[in-house]
Amino acid sequence: MADTLNVLRAGMATVQDLGRFGRSRYGLPVNGALDQHSARVANVLCGNDEGAPLLEITALDFSCTPSTDVLVAVTGAPADLTVDGVVRPQWEPLSVRSGETIRISGIRSGIRVYLAVLGSFNTPYLQGSCAPDTILGFGHSLRDGDELGLQRHCPPVDHPEYRIPLFRLRAPVPRFPMTLLPSPWTIDVTDGPDLAEFGDTADRLFGSEFTVSPQSNHIGLRMAGDVPRRVATGEVLSRGVPVGAVEVPAGDELLVLHRGRGVTAGYPVLAVVTATGLSALGQVGPGQTVRFRHRTVAEAVAAHRSQRSAVQALQNRVRTVFDALRIPSSPARTVPVSP
C-alpha cells in the first residue's frame, strides 16, 4: 500500500507550487503560492527542488498524519505548530514518525503557512504546474479525510538519548508585523507606466495607509484609503499587465493584482509591487493595513537578488547536512524567477 499524508482537518488548504510559467502568452495566469519566498524555503529545508508541490494553508487550523516516517518543514506566517502535542519550531526541518499528528493552529500576523514534505506529493499537473486555477477549474483544494500520496519516506532523524533537535539551518525568515501592537505591512513598489497621469496626487500612495477589503483574493487585493486620482482624461486601452500592478479604477479603492490576475486589463497602473514585496503581499489578509514604500528598479533588483542568494546559501547548508546524515534529497534544477 502506498504511503500517504492523511488530512484530518483541512481548513483552507491547497496543493501548490511556484506557478505556471511561460503561459501568459496563451492567456493563462501564473498562479502558484502567494508567498513565494516562504514556499521556496519550505521545500529547500526538506531537500526538495524549490518548485516542488507543497501545501498552502490559509488562515484556518490544519492537521494531518503521515502513514510513514517523514521529514517536513513548516514556514510562512507565525503559528502554533505541534507534533503529537509537542511544540515544534517553524523554519526548520522536523522528523515526524508514522502516525504522529502534525497540527498547525493560531495563524497570526500573516495568513498563509506552508507545509513541505521530503520527496513531495503525488498530484495532477496542468501545463507544467499543479497550481490551482479557478478559471480553468483545475487544482486540489483539500477536504477532511483526503489522502495525499507521498513519494518518499525518511527514517527518524534525532538523538537517541537526549531527543534534541539536530537542525539549526538559519533559514532566511522574513519580518512579520507584531501582533500585540499591530503595525501595517510595508510593501515595496516601483514606478508604474502611468505614473505621470496622476500628477501631484501620486504621492498619496506613500503618504497614507490602505486597508485590505474582504473582497480580496488570489486574483487581486482591494484596498481602501486616500486613493490617488488620475488627472489625465484620455482613454486607457486594455493591455498586458504584470503581477503586482497597482491599478486605480474609478472609485475609492486601489486594486493590486496578484498571481491569479488576468493577463490584460484596462485600468491605469500607478505602481508595480516588487518581487520581494509580492511575497509579503501574499501574507496580507482582510482588515490588515498596508503602507507602500517607493523603491527604484535598481533597489528592487538588489533586494530580490539578496533574498535569492539567502535561499541558495540555505540550499547549500541543507545539502551538506543531508549528505552527512545520509538523508536523500532531490536533485536541484533551475526554477523560473517569479514574475
XYZ file of all heavy atoms in Angstrom, residues 3 67-71 117-119 150-156 327-328:
136
model
N 2.359 4.950 0.638
C 2.413 5.841 1.805
C 1.622 7.109 1.508
O 1.635 7.629 0.377
C 3.858 6.198 2.128
C 4.662 4.990 2.593
O 4.084 4.138 3.282
O 5.857 4.907 2.242
N 1.423 8.268 7.111
C 1.360 6.823 7.328
C 2.745 6.195 7.390
O 2.876 4.989 7.577
C 0.548 6.164 6.209
O 1.226 6.282 4.968
N 3.784 7.011 7.227
C 5.155 6.549 7.297
C 6.008 7.632 7.927
O 5.548 8.765 8.113
C 5.685 6.211 5.885
O 6.990 5.628 5.988
C 5.771 7.469 5.020
N 7.237 7.323 8.301
C 8.147 8.329 8.849
C 8.508 9.328 7.752
O 8.867 8.935 6.636
C 9.424 7.668 9.377
C 9.149 6.685 10.510
O 8.120 6.843 11.194
O 9.953 5.764 10.708
N 8.425 10.616 8.075
C 8.681 11.652 7.079
C 9.520 12.771 7.684
O 9.662 12.878 8.907
C 7.360 12.254 6.528
C 6.584 11.227 5.730
C 6.511 12.843 7.649
N 10.054 13.595 6.806
C 10.723 14.831 7.202
C 9.907 15.978 6.621
O 9.594 15.975 5.422
C 12.151 14.877 6.668
C 13.057 15.976 7.240
C 13.471 15.601 8.660
C 14.290 16.170 6.378
N 7.041 18.381 2.473
C 7.439 17.046 2.919
C 8.566 16.562 2.020
O 8.513 16.738 0.795
C 6.246 16.063 2.853
C 6.678 14.662 3.248
C 5.110 16.535 3.739
N 9.590 15.965 2.614
C 10.692 15.413 1.841
C 10.151 14.468 0.766
O 9.420 13.531 1.057
C 11.646 14.640 2.759
C 12.729 13.809 2.077
C 13.692 14.711 1.326
C 13.481 12.955 3.086
N 10.491 14.733 -0.488
C 10.010 13.921 -1.591
C 8.749 14.454 -2.230
O 8.373 14.034 -3.318
N 2.554 10.109 -0.858
C 3.912 10.564 -0.574
C 4.904 9.836 -1.480
O 4.773 8.631 -1.716
C 4.270 10.304 0.890
C 3.439 11.064 1.926
C 3.750 10.561 3.331
C 3.705 12.560 1.833
N 5.892 10.549 -1.967
C 6.859 9.959 -2.881
C 8.052 9.338 -2.173
O 8.806 8.588 -2.788
C 7.346 11.028 -3.873
C 6.236 11.570 -4.773
C 6.750 12.549 -5.798
O 7.946 12.813 -5.879
N 5.852 13.107 -6.598
N 8.230 9.646 -0.880
C 9.430 9.154 -0.196
C 9.193 9.150 1.303
O 8.452 9.978 1.828
C 10.619 10.072 -0.530
C 11.969 9.569 -0.073
C 13.058 10.512 -0.558
N 13.131 10.525 -2.016
C 13.782 11.433 -2.727
N 14.398 12.430 -2.108
N 13.816 11.376 -4.030
N 9.800 8.207 1.996
C 9.769 8.232 3.455
C 11.164 8.581 3.956
O 12.136 8.566 3.193
C 9.302 6.889 4.026
C 10.369 5.836 4.027
N 10.734 5.160 2.873
C 11.161 5.353 5.024
C 11.704 4.305 3.172
N 11.980 4.403 4.460
N 11.268 8.899 5.234
C 12.560 9.270 5.822
C 12.627 8.706 7.235
O 11.795 9.057 8.076
C 12.726 10.792 5.859
S 14.306 11.351 6.529
N 13.572 7.824 7.513
C 13.706 7.291 8.875
C 13.874 8.422 9.877
O 14.370 9.501 9.534
C 14.966 6.431 8.797
C 15.121 6.099 7.346
C 14.589 7.292 6.605
N 13.435 8.220 11.133
C 13.540 9.282 12.145
C 14.963 9.820 12.267
O 15.926 9.052 12.254
C 13.096 8.588 13.438
C 12.255 7.452 12.977
C 12.832 6.994 11.681
N 20.552 11.628 4.380
C 19.144 11.870 4.087
C 19.033 12.125 2.591
O 19.739 12.975 2.055
C 18.615 13.088 4.863
C 18.753 12.863 6.367
C 17.157 13.367 4.509
C 18.403 14.085 7.200
N 18.176 11.397 1.883
C 18.062 11.616 0.434
C 17.461 12.979 0.145
O 16.612 13.481 0.878
C 17.102 10.502 -0.020
C 16.301 10.188 1.206
C 17.231 10.390 2.374
